[in-house]
Each structure stands twice: as structure tokens, then as C-alpha cells.
Amino acid sequence: MAEKLEVKELEQVVVRFSGDSGDGMQLAGNIFSTVSATVGNGISTFPDYPADIRAPQGSLTGVSGFQVHIGAGKVYTPGDLCDVLVAMNAAALKTQIRYAKKQATVIIDTDAFGPKDLEKAQFKTEDYLGELGIDADRVVACPMTTMVKECLAESGMENKAVLKCRNMFALGLVCWLFNRDLELVNNFLREKFAKKPAVTESNIKVVQAGYDYGHNVHASVPATYRIESKQKEPGRYMDITGNKATAYGLIAAAEKAGLKLYLGSYPITPATDILHELAKHKSLGVITVQCEDEISGAASAIGASFAGALAATSTSGPGICLKSEAMNLAVIDELPLVVIDVQRGGPSTGLPTKSEQTDLLQALYGRNGESPMPVIAAISPTDCFDAAYQASKIALEHLTPVILLTDAFIANGSAAWKLPKMAELIDINPHYATPEMKGNYTPYMRDEQTKVRYWAIPGQEGYTHILGGLEKDGRTGAISTDPENHNMMCRLRAEKVEKIPVPDLEVNGDTADAELLIVGFGSTYGHLYSAMEELQARGHKVAHAHFKYINPLPTNTAEVLSRYKKVVVAEQNLGQFAAYLRQKVDNFTPYQFNEVKGQPFVVSELVEAFENIIKK
């Protein structure tokens, strides 16, 4: 019978794994996405997990999800709704079915749908499919727990350890459904559990059992599916998260600039993985320090910068609040520093594991005094590499702290990334003091064109100088309270940032005759671009302009925004970027689309909202 099963070619598919926070859904989803990226598919992922360290088993609040969108070509978002939903228990099905298409295939572990499980998930009857309006014909009901126990009955493993392998059975079933090569899965498991060969072999055995189950019973589906790659560029690819790409961007920048990389950080969700990743690379000259608090993380990085390193500090919104005084020190001292803000839901502790764009105005203005800082916003997981590299380049070449905005969505999400070659990366040339200045150097001597001061590394004979938090005389470097000097120094620091060259703002879509220009910044790029494509498919003339460089803005910003009769600014806050653009561009009065749900935009909702604007 197996050879008669139809294999359908798909352009794209969305799969969502869900279960208890201890069920290993993030791992299963990560393996499936990595295997897909390895064979050349485009991917975009969205880990969606609770803030609870360990919610009660089977509870509605403890459900963890991982969604991956796989395409034959490039994909821009993790997808609005999934084509396949894996629900490992009753609570997962109850909470995650909202993210599934009406015709989606639903895979469940029937062993986790007993009376107590249904009660915890607040089902009113035993007919849980009927309560949720799910067609039983599209449900793959499999006793996963029972089958995993049978599979590992002779392994000698404890029952608790056996149950941890259930996610691998589900993964095997999904790999069968999409014709994935299990050897790629096995290689991943061998690498991950290299120090635990017994765990490796048990997981490999369970993955195979899940695959065989689907193959032998056809798992109630009429066809399996294959997504062929349409990879355009040859090269070496990997599945990379935004946090890992950020770490790699910093490493590459330090290498290109010929400097040591120093990260002073304090653990905070969702930025901690940057610290974890960089700590692995001591062989590349990377120095990481897990400091006692956010303030010392930033302050130690400033010390490393003063000593001549490429210095960075990583955090989220609450940490930026704490680091602000130290960041101000870097501003007045004019030292290179990369400040990474992986935004999450706020205010206060807010939504630690969810994503927003609500730190924008804090990044721009959240410090005392006139404290200008360049701000860059990464637009995707893979773009985090380029954004970190560019932030480092600006910091080193213009002697300024730089804020890099990412967020939980792109930091934890992943995509297929082509590894760049170091020779192809743009040069980074730190703005060092020149040999001619020896013996006559003062710390605020500047390039007349760029207004950038010259960087002298401590310990060099003839370049002795002092920096600090008190205002200094622009000529001598001595402490000064002179009003004219302070006015001059404030203006010079601002002018230096304004003169930083950034790429022009690009417009995609119907650039000449668009009825509507969609504007956004940072991580919403994929959703807004997809909304533009959908509106074009409906016959509308639409364009899309997306900002990566926030301060300074591209020089053609005003010209682009004034070119279109209708402009909508869409952002995951209550209008911070729209307000900033109104401040910077005369007579700019855009429409706005704002959400602060802690979740990515839904493309279908964007399309409906933008279409209503077009029809006005």
C-alpha cells in the first residue's frame, strides 16, 4: 500500500509543535527547521513559550509552542495559521487550535487526553474534538506515550526519561509526512547528545518509530508532502537564530577591525543566548563576563572600550533602563560601544517571553541631557548578523555608543542563513589618533568633516589623556563648566551622529503609482512585505518602505514619505515610530496600525486594515 500513497509537491507549509513546557516542543521544532534549512528550504520560525519556569503539568498556562514556515523559496514570516498542528496533550489542543487552518492536519497523543487531562484543560465533555469544532477525519490520533514506552521497553531507562522522548515520536511522524531524510535528524541528535550516547540512540530509535508508524498506517492522511528547494545561491547554509546571528556579527566585526571582542552582560530573557553563544568562542579572542547586575555589565564594557576593545553589552528593555546612566557616560566620553536591546513586552517585567517594539523612544531619548545615540533595528533573524556588524562599524568609526534593537520574535526565531566570507565583508577602520598627534594629543581633537574625535588607546606614549562623566573643554580635555563650551560640545556630539552615512530608504512594490505606502521598522519587515504582496494579488497598487536605520534616518526619508498620498505606519507599539517620523518630517500625517499583544502581526489582519485605508 505504501507505494500507492500520493506524494504532493508543495511550495510552502506551516507546522506548529505544541505541548507542555517540559515536552520538548522547542527541540522538536528546532530539529525539523534545521533539517529543512539543511536541504535548502527557506524557513522562518517562531518559538512561543510561557514565562513560567515550570507551569503545572497539563495546565492551559503551561503550553509551549514552536511554529515553523517552510518554503521552496524565500519565506518572510512564520505564517499566520498552520497546516499541521502537533498537540501533545489536551491543554495544547485547547489553546493552540486557534493557530490552525480549518483544513489543518492535527496530530495528537491520545494517551494525554484522559478524564483528568480534559479536566485540567477545562473541557466540559469527553468529546473534545466536537467542543472545538474539529473534524475527526483530519486528526491523526496516535497513542504516542504507549508506543514510546513499548519502543524503549528494553532500554533500561527510567519511566521519566522514557516520557521525555515523546517529542521525538511526534517529530518522526512529521518527518514522514514531509518526506524528510531521517539521517539528517540522526546527525543532529548525535551532535546534540554527543556526551550521552545512550540518550542519542534512544531518541534516534523513537524518531524512527514515529516515522514507521506514519509509513505503516498512512496516519489517516491521503498523501505525504515534499517541499523541493529552489535555492538560488550556492554556498554553505545553516539554520540560525537572531541571537546567534547577533553574536556572530560581533565576532566578525572584531575580527575585521583587528580588535578583541568584550561582552559585559547580565542574564535576562530574551537576550541571554547572546552571552551563552559568545562564551563558547574564547578561541577567537572573545572575552565574556557575566556581571553582577545590568549597570556593571555596561560599565565594564565601557572600561573595555576605553582599553581598546570592541565592547558590547546585551539586555532587554528593563536592562536598558538600568544601563542608561552608563550609556550616558559612553556618550559624553565618546567611546565605541554596542548596546543590544532584545525587546520584550513591557512595561516593568511585563511579558518576559513575548515580543514588542515598545523600546524605540527609550532608545532614542531615554537618557538625561542631550544624549544622541545612533539606533539600528534588525529586520529578521539573519539580518541580526549584518545589523550587529554595522552597529560595530559605526561605533568604531564614529566613536559613539550605538543601540541595536532586535526583539524576542527575531532573536528566538530562525531562518536559513548563507555563511558569508570574511573577505566579502566591508572594512572596519577604527578612528585612531594619528602618529602626528603624538605629544600634542587631547581627547576631543576632531576630524573637521565628520566631527569624530580621535581614539587613543591607553598606554601609548605621547597620548596621555583623561575621560570622565563631567563635561570637558573641547580644546584641552580639562573639566569645564563654561556655558559656551558646553553648548558647543552638545552640538558637536549631535552633529557627529547626524553626519553618520546610512543607506537610502528603499521602496518595494508599486513604487511609482502606489495607492498606499506601508511603512514599518525592524522585525515587522516580513509581515508587512507579505501584506503588500497579498494586496497586490488583490489588484491594489501598494508599496512598502522599511526602516533599519532609525537615527540618523536615511537622507531621502522626507522625499519618500511625501511622495505618496496615503501612508500607513504599522508597528508593535502605540505609535512611537509614527510620532518620531512626524517630528522629523514636516507635514507628515500618516495612518497608523498599532498592536501590543506580545505576538507577531497576522498578515490577514494587516491586509484587511490596509485595504480599508485604500478604500477611504
Side-chain angles (χ1 to χ4, degrees), residues 60-322:
L60 295 173
T61 59
V63 175
S64 175
F66 186 103
Q67 186 159 305
V68 55
H69 183 181
I70 301 165
K74 188 173 178 64
V75 294
Y76 295 98
T77 76
D80 287 357
L81 300 174
C82 64
D83 301 283
V84 176
L85 172 64
V86 176
M88 299 298 287
N89 62 16
L93 183 65
K94 182 76 171 285
T95 59
Q96 305 298 299
I97 192 64
R98 75 179 79 170
Y99 302 116
K101 295 176 181 176
K102 283 292 183 184
Q103 69 276 20
T105 297
V106 180
I107 300 173
I108 64 172
D109 178 4
T110 53
D111 290 331
F113 282 78
K116 289 186 178 179
D117 302 306
L118 296 176
E119 183 181 347
K120 288 180 183 178
Q122 298 178 16
F123 281 100
K124 298 176 182 177
T125 69
E126 292 186 1
D127 182 17
Y128 50 89
L129 296 180
E131 282 190 41
L132 297 175
I134 300 174
D135 181 358
D137 289 339
R138 59 186 177 93
V139 176
V140 179
C142 170
M144 293 189 205
T145 301
T146 299
M147 298 193 74
V148 169
K149 287 181 177 179
E150 292 175 354
C151 179
L152 299 178
E154 298 179 3
S155 67
M157 296 172 64
E158 295 181 359
N159 186 60
K160 186 177 181 181
V162 169
L163 293 178
K164 285 186 176 181
C165 296
R166 293 164 62 241
N167 60 335
M168 293 297 104
F169 191 96
L171 175 63
L173 190 49
V174 172
C175 286
W176 166 78
L177 190 59
F178 292 101
N179 284 268
R180 289 297 184 231
D181 183 356
L182 286 194
E183 191 55 36
L184 295 174
V185 177
N186 297 345
N187 290 339
F188 184 105
L189 292 170
R190 290 188 185 106
E191 183 176 342
K192 180 170 180 61
F193 300 112
K195 297 181 179 179
K196 300 177 179 179
V199 174
T200 300
E201 293 310 311
S202 295
N203 277 298
I204 288 175
K205 188 174 182 181
V206 174
V207 170
Q208 186 67 55
Y211 189 96
D212 291 342
Y213 176 84
H215 179 76
N216 293 334
V217 304
H218 296 170
S220 306
V221 295
T224 62
Y225 305 92
R226 178 181 289 113
I227 303 168
E228 294 294 346
S229 173
K230 293 182 180 178
Q231 192 168 296
K232 299 177 181 66
E233 296 182 38
R236 187 181 176 191
Y237 285 77
M238 66 179 290
D239 174 27
I240 196 168
T241 65
N243 275 338
K244 180 176 283 192
T246 299
Y248 285 4
L250 294 173
I251 293 171
E255 181 75 17
K256 201 72 170 181
L259 299 176
K260 292 263 190 183
L261 173 62
Y262 175 91
L263 180 81
S265 189
Y266 180 76
I268 183 172
T269 302
T272 308
D273 283 342
I274 298 171
L275 171 62
H276 290 170
E277 183 60 37
L278 287 176
K280 300 175 184 176
H281 299 289
K282 293 182 178 66
S283 62
L284 298 176
V286 178
I287 302 166
T288 56
V289 176
Q290 180 177 316
C291 298
E292 64 268 29
D293 54 41
E294 296 282 4
I295 301 169
S296 57
S300 68
I302 292 171
S305 176
F306 180 68
L310 169 56
T313 186
S314 54
T315 187
S316 187
I320 292 292
C321 296
L322 294 165

